[in-house]
Amino acid sequence: MDTFHVLRAVLFGLFHLCLYESNVWSFLLDGPTAPCPRPATHCMLETFNVVVQDLGCLGCQTGCQPGYIMTANARYYVTTGSLVGHYDYKGILIDNSKNVSEPQWLCEPGTTCPWGHFLDKMGSIESCSYCGQGCQTCQSFSKCDGCILGFRLTKTTLANGNEESHCATSGIPCPNPPDHCQHDVYANAVVGCQGCIFCEDGYLPTVNRYYRRSPQNKTSDYVYKGLTISGTIDINEPRYVCVQGRTCPVGYHNVSRGNLMTCEADLQVG
């Protein structure tokens, strides 16, 4: 995890802690505001579910309705392209590091945190803070316990002797990322594109039969953007794709690994 992302998380937490502890929110609305292009739903109050200067769409800053939990939106921050400067949204200047189409805080159904988040508090309000890119479970932003498929856990010892752990990638996105995926997907040496392991609601991560080439289509190992890929793997075919439905499609069966469920292909006999 680079210094930018670590500092961003620290400042993000301190900023919101100060707001909650001092109950000073109104200054955020002193400047121009506009409706969020995709407002958060199930907020306790709609006061901050608007676009403000620099910060974009704040979403459910003041908590959620009963049955929902306040959750940091991982897609609120922009991590690629130019992060310096501003862009215009309906006459309001938004920092390039913020995605105005994604509310900063969402209200997710339930009372427990979804994958990639850990239970935290903003003042007296229980909330789910973001673990960091690619992290499936964590104790805090800098203490990842396990990464999703396609990411690798990396540990760093700081000057004070403390250890941090984050999830790293090859930095090379998959050429054909699956639709309806909740996370970014990256290519890796040898195994190609591992695809999506957490899909949007209503979709299931399902093994892609075309990920492995048929015997007659196998080649020697090849290079994709500096990564050496096995000739048995098609880099253009993610290992897991998101298939619509609540149950596995015909020809596939459910495999559960902890809180993760995937649809794996049935064995073909004959």
Side-chain angles (χ1 to χ4, degrees):
M1 179 66 62
D2 58 45
T3 303
F4 168 77
H5 288 88
V6 173
L7 288 175
R8 183 188 74 181
V10 172
L11 292 174
F12 174 79
L14 290 174
F15 171 69
H16 283 85
L17 181 60
C18 290
L19 287 176
Y20 274 95
E21 293 299 327
S22 62
N23 290 318
V24 178
W25 290 87
S26 59
F27 78 92
L28 292 173
L29 305 178
D30 287 346
T33 64
C36 293
R38 294 174 56 192
T41 57
H42 306 291
C43 300
M44 180 64 73
L45 299 172
E46 294 296 321
T47 309
F48 298 96
N49 203 9
V50 294
V51 173
V52 301
Q53 187 167 318
D54 290 324
L55 299 177
C57 177
L58 299 178
C60 300
Q61 292 275 5
T62 53
C64 302
Q65 297 173 11
Y68 294 84
I69 190 165
M70 183 175 166
T71 304
N73 182 2
R75 298 186 183 276
Y76 168 72
Y77 285 103
V78 177
T79 58
T80 59
S82 175
L83 304 180
V84 178
H86 296 77
Y87 62 95
D88 181 273
Y89 176 77
K90 294 188 175 182
I92 301 174
L93 292 180
I94 308 298
D95 192 286
N96 277 347
S97 66
K98 313 296 191 304
N99 182 356
V100 74
S101 296
E102 295 288 347
Q104 185 177 22
W105 288 96
L106 304 172
C107 287
E108 297 289 355
T111 56
T112 58
C113 293
W115 78 272
H117 294 77
F118 64 96
L119 187 62
D120 202 358
K121 274 202 171 185
M122 292 296 182
S124 60
I125 301 176
E126 281 197 344
S127 62
C128 298
S129 293
Y130 184 44
C131 287
Q133 185 185 37
C135 183
Q136 183 173 341
T137 58
C138 70
Q139 303 169 48
S140 67
F141 183 81
S142 58
K143 291 285 186 181
C144 183
D145 298 318
C147 304
I148 61 176
L149 196 65
F151 291 74
R152 66 183 185 279
L153 190 66
T154 60
K155 297 183 178 181
T156 304
T157 301
L158 305 179
N160 60 8
N162 292 336
E163 187 177 78
E164 292 188 346
S165 52
H166 302 280
C167 296
T169 75
S170 65
I172 300 173
C174 291
N176 293 309
D179 294 330
H180 306 290
C181 187
Q182 290 186 340
H183 56 83
D184 295 330
V185 292
Y186 293 88
N188 288 279
V190 183
V191 296
C193 178
Q194 294 293 278
C196 188
I197 211 69
F198 287 100
C199 300
E200 294 174 355
D201 186 45
Y203 293 81
L204 293 174
T206 304
V207 73
N208 179 4
R209 293 183 185 272
Y210 299 103
Y211 165 70
R212 296 187 184 277
R213 290 172 169 167
S214 59
Q216 61 268 29
N217 290 327
K218 289 181 181 178
T219 67
S220 57
D221 293 353
Y222 60 99
V223 176
Y224 175 77
K225 295 188 175 182
L227 298 175
T228 300
I229 310 297
S230 168
T232 64
I233 304 298
D234 188 342
I235 187 65
N236 294 300
E237 297 287 350
R239 180 178 175 185
Y240 287 95
V241 295
C242 295
V243 175
Q244 190 171 16
R246 296 290 181 182
T247 58
C248 293
V250 175
Y252 294 80
H253 60 278
N254 172 20
V255 174
S256 296
R257 305 176 183 88
N259 64 345
L260 174 65
M261 189 197 86
T262 60
C263 295
E264 305 292 339
D266 295 339
L267 291 176
Q268 296 181 346
V269 180

